[in-house]
Amino acid sequence: MYVAVKGGERAIESAHAWLAEERRGDTNIAELSLPQIREQLKLAVDRVMAEGSLYDPDLAALAIKQSRGDLIEAIFLIRAYRTTLPRFGASRPVDTGAMDCDRRISATFKDLPGGQVLGPTFDYTHRLLDFKLAAESEVPDAPTREVSSGAVPHVTEFLNQEELIESAPHDDTPPPDLTREPLEMPADRALRLQALTRADEGFTLGLAYSTQRGYGRNHAFVGELRIGAVTVEMDIPELGFAVEIGEVTLTECETVNQFTGSKSEPPQFTRGYGLVFGQSERKAISMALVDRALRWEELGEDYVGAPAQDTEFVLYHADNIQATGFLEHIKLPHYVDFQSELELVRKLRREAGEEQFQEAAE
Amino acid sequence: MTEYNFAYLDEQTKRMIRRAILKGLAIPGYQVPFASREMPMPYGWGTGGVQVSAALLTPDDTFKVIDQGADDTTNAVSIRSFFERTAGVATTTATSEASVIQTRHRIPEDALTENQILVYQVPIPEPLRFLEPRESETRKMHSLEEYGLMHVKLYEDISRHGHIATSYAYPVKVEGRYVMDPSPIPKFDNPKLGNMAAIQLFGAGREQRIYALPPYTQVVSLDFEDHPFEASKADHPCGLCDATDSYLDEVIIDDQGGRMFVCSDTDYCTARQAAGHKGKDAA
Amino acid sequence: MRPLLSVQGVSKRYGAHIGCADVSFDLYPGEVMGIVGESGSGKSTLLNCMAGHIAPDAGKVIFDTRADGPKDTVTMSEAQRRMLSRTDWAFVHQHARDGLRMGVSAGGNVGERLMAVGERHYGDIRGKATDWLERVEIDATRVDDRPTTFSGGMQQRLQIARNLVTGPRLVFMDEPTGGLDVSVQARLLDLLRGLVRDMGLSAIIVTHDLAVVRLLADRLMVMKSGRVVEAGLTDQVLDDPQHAYSQLLVSSVLQV
């Protein structure tokens, strides 16, 4: 005797309880605290803030804890939370030229005003497992030196003085807001950059890598990569002036790309740009490469059919929250659609069978 | 639950969605872009329908959610409890008692009334998507009414299989103008789309589109004169309520591949059984 | 008689580079115009401007529409232009791949234009498609095969069938025999000549192959660096070229 399935509600509740238990794991092991995540898994926190489009290390740490370390799930939690936040206004554009740099390197000049600062990078570590870390040892303090603080000029400005690089004139047009307006094509550069800065790191990396391997190659050099804190200022209408409301850490990458000139433009270098919340240079460099690849049209280059040149392809598939939701929705029940397919296949097979039978009879 | 606004979304967002709904009702079948918000459930799991419902619900509404025709499937339960928590509205499983019905993949068997609104969850709103992947191009095709390609697909089906081999999400033409994807309902449900008394609203969250059918709209399933559209279903009566006019799910009941057919619309089936109808597999 | 197509002062630049400059001519019903010149002479740019694929910077392309008489296709709405291009106009691409749907059967390819203008009877559409396959010398049993299984010459003939099935009044052809073997070219030219004669088609053919225009075109324009340097009856231009460049073009063919 068949009884229609009931009890979805109870099943969901039980699943949630089990999930909570699994999240905690063995209770003999100390529980993770949010400050531990925030301080010791900082790069994970940074990624969640960048792709979640919300700068709040404590909330990002909570999301990572709640999601059991599944960063896309954590990004999802942050995005859903972000939806509910009221919007008080927009900050002034941040000035990355005034960044208090922890790291600042250029691949195009050996030395330059402001100097090369390696900063806290994995770059020259040998990737050997450090078993001392397993013993939870304290680390000695890193050496320090005095630096002259103050604005560090952007490398591309040196090229700009000679007009060797395309000019990027100041533009006060308010950018479109991807989170308040539907994404519609054609997308201008401001909108593309906005989509890329919160795009999935892996997807952006893969696309950027594909341009290096010849799918829309544009010969990028890292003109400059800088990481550090910038102040955020906001105009307060009641006061009539801007006040500092906080500080965010950003990673900025400007690429210098080869360009041979077109029928209308003299030969000069062109730019790709990446800017990401937190310390995430892989993402920032990838973003700059993809940004540059998407600019083929305005620069009069050929469309060679490379995925990274295809704005619709890139922008419609870069968001990991959209992608993961749609991908995973195929595990929801589809028995109604499946049933109709089942009947169609049976019908077609029956007819094919009859035809064969008839042919055999003839 | 006081941390969130009534029905989760803030009033500004609801107003934006209502504007899109009104525009959709004014241009039946036209896909209106809207600034879909990130919801606390994944894209592809009904975020479009949920946003449309959130913009519609008032405290006096009675809300019903079905997935595959059933009120008790997990995602239907999850969406229903979301609005119970965030809007505190009354919920029901009875089709006739609901003022707003959110659905995934089915239209209820009972005819809806002018006092009801049916909200569809839509995964891919663009009926031309799998013929032309570019949004900029498909929008142009709609605006210029270039729908020849749609029939090429049906032509290819017939030349290959002898039939139109689309069994769900079967495309329709609305009021002789826009070709529309009715969401992945089985084509059995297509005839109910046209001339319906209730308002039908379609929400696609991830794809950021809302479209609509006002009451009593002409909706025609695409076909050829010599290969007319056929609404089909499994050729059995329901094993529980003996209905012969309802869409059926096939259920495998034993290891030998034994199977039975039961109504996918659980409310319809339950009501019939309560009225004394009895199928061959009923206890 | 009123011209079917009247091109008036059409120009197109790409930055500092001239695509085509100040081209004017009239095409009368039933007439075939050939446009010859080396690559880069602007003949393809001109063709694409006329067919509405690119917008000229200046000039008019006036087409004698069935409904409203002469209309400038440059300034008409895209909807109207697209409607023209699937009813009264046809465009045969050099590469059949650009003009065919490679994932759709031969019958579907030919039937698409019929369906686009509202035909809704499967049997009729298929019947017309099969007829047209036979007219372009493709075996009717291939109606359900995809063009990927066809030879280059067959693909080109299929493209022609797909274009002509709705009885267009004006056909644009961009190097229709380019990229085909010489023997295949001859057969295709023969076929085109027959179709042009039987259907009374008006056509504009862009080619660098003087044999093609000799066979098909009533009149000829010679282009160089974006400009028309000589125009006239085909035989006249080919047998007694006046402009130095035309002379060079004709003599270089004769040397071969």
Side-chain angles (χ1 to χ4, degrees), chain A residues 1-2 4-9 11-12 76 79-84 178-185 198 303 310 312-313 316 319 321-326 328-329 331-344 346-348 351, chain B residues 4 8 33-35 37-45 67-68 72-75 77-78 104-106 123-124 133-136 161 163 165 167-168 184 186 206 208 230 233-234 240 247-251 253 259-262 264 281-283:
Chain A
M1 167 49 207
Y2 167 78
V5 191
K6 290 271 176 196
E9 200 145 5
I12 290 176
F76 185 11
R79 291 266 194 100
Y81 178 76
R82 185 187 190 281
T83 299
T84 67
L178 189 63
T179 65
R180 284 291 184 274
E181 300 295 330
L183 176 61
E184 286 187 86
M185 298 294 149
R198 58 190 231 150
Y303 176 71
D310 185 334
E312 281 201 31
F313 179 81
Y316 278 123
D319 189 287
I321 302 307
Q322 291 176 354
T324 198
F326 197 58
E328 296 193 45
H329 106 282
K331 66 195 175 191
L332 285 179
H334 279 83
Y335 31 80
V336 164
D337 340 4
F338 184 71
Q339 184 68 34
S340 53
E341 290 280 89
L342 205 59
E343 276 150 30
L344 181 69
R346 280 189 185 133
K347 181 175 173 185
L348 296 176
E351 285 172 359
Chain B
Y4 294 110
Y8 188 75
F34 83 112
R37 299 291 192 253
E38 255 120 4
M39 299 300 285
M41 57 273 289
Y43 283 119
W45 297 53
D67 188 338
Q68 316 293 301
D72 209 48
T73 36
T74 42
N75 204 41
V77 168
S78 165
R104 178 167 170 263
H105 296 189
R106 274 312 311 276
I124 304 272
R134 256 156 230 292
E135 181 68 20
S136 46
H161 307 294
H163 298 278
S167 59
Y168 62 92
R206 192 179 39 78
Q208 308 189 312
E230 264 178 5
K233 68 176 200 73
L240 298 180
Y247 192 75
L248 301 172
D249 287 338
E250 185 172 331
V251 183
I253 46 177
R259 54 200 66 206
M260 65 179 286
F261 292 86
V262 294
S264 104
D281 302 307

Side-chain angles (χ1 to χ4, degrees), chain C residues 176-187:
Chain C
T177 57
L180 297 176
D181 295 343
V182 177
S183 62
V184 179
Q185 278 185 16
R187 185 175 172 194

Side-chain angles (χ1 to χ4, degrees), chain A residues 183-197:
Chain A
L183 176 61
E184 286 187 86
M185 298 294 149
D188 66 10
R189 191 176 178 204
L191 189 63
R192 296 198 302 256
L193 289 171
Q194 207 173 104
L196 287 176
T197 194

Side-chain angles (χ1 to χ4, degrees), chain C residues 205-219:
Chain C
I205 303 177
V206 157
T207 181
H208 67 278
D209 185 348
L210 297 187
V212 171
V213 285
R214 170 81 82 181
L215 208 60
L216 292 176
D218 304 309
R219 285 197 295 146

Side-chain angles (χ1 to χ4, degrees), chain B residues 88-268:
Chain B
V89 290
T91 57
T92 181
T93 59
T95 301
S96 59
E97 286 168 19
S99 55
V100 177
I101 302 171
Q102 181 169 331
T103 180
R104 178 167 170 263
H105 296 189
R106 274 312 311 276
I107 299 177
E109 303 293 354
D110 280 327
L112 302 183
T113 69
E114 289 179 1
N115 298 319
Q116 295 179 303
I117 301 176
L118 185 59
V119 177
Y120 295 78
Q121 300 172 200
V122 182
I124 304 272
E126 179 49 73
L128 304 166
R129 178 60 65 239
F130 300 110
L131 303 168
E132 169 55 59
R134 256 156 230 292
E135 181 68 20
S136 46
E137 185 59 24
T138 53
R139 284 191 82 74
K140 197 175 275 178
M141 290 162 81
H142 282 293
S143 66
L144 302 178
E145 266 188 276
E146 279 191 10
Y147 293 132
L149 196 54
M150 199 82 231
H151 267 89
V152 171
K153 199 254 167 209
L154 302 181
Y155 173 97
E156 291 289 286
D157 274 2
I158 300 173
S159 70
R160 200 166 311 144
H161 307 294
H163 298 278
I164 294 173
T166 300
S167 59
Y168 62 92
Y170 192 103
V172 294
K173 196 161 199 180
V174 180
E175 288 289 338
R177 177 58 181 87
Y178 284 99
V179 168
M180 185 189 99
D181 182 301
S183 89
I185 55 173
K187 67 178 183 175
F188 172 81
D189 281 341
N190 269 30
K192 300 180 204 161
L193 291 161
N195 211 30
M196 186 189 279
I199 292 175
Q200 299 173 79
L201 303 176
F202 299 79
R206 192 179 39 78
E207 299 276 341
Q208 308 189 312
R209 296 289 182 275
I210 284 173
Y211 50 103
L213 297 172
Y216 307 110
T217 299
Q218 184 208 65
V219 180
V220 178
S221 301
L222 300 182
D223 61 1
F224 287 103
E225 289 155 17
D226 48 343
H227 285 264
F229 171 82
E230 264 178 5
S232 64
K233 68 176 200 73
D235 190 17
H236 298 272
C238 169
L240 298 180
C241 78
D242 208 32
T244 53
D245 57 355
S246 67
Y247 192 75
L248 301 172
D249 287 338
E250 185 172 331
V251 183
I252 298 171
I253 46 177
D254 57 38
D255 294 352
Q256 282 73 52
R259 54 200 66 206
M260 65 179 286
F261 292 86
V262 294
C263 291
S264 104
D265 184 336
T266 48
D267 174 58
Y268 182 74

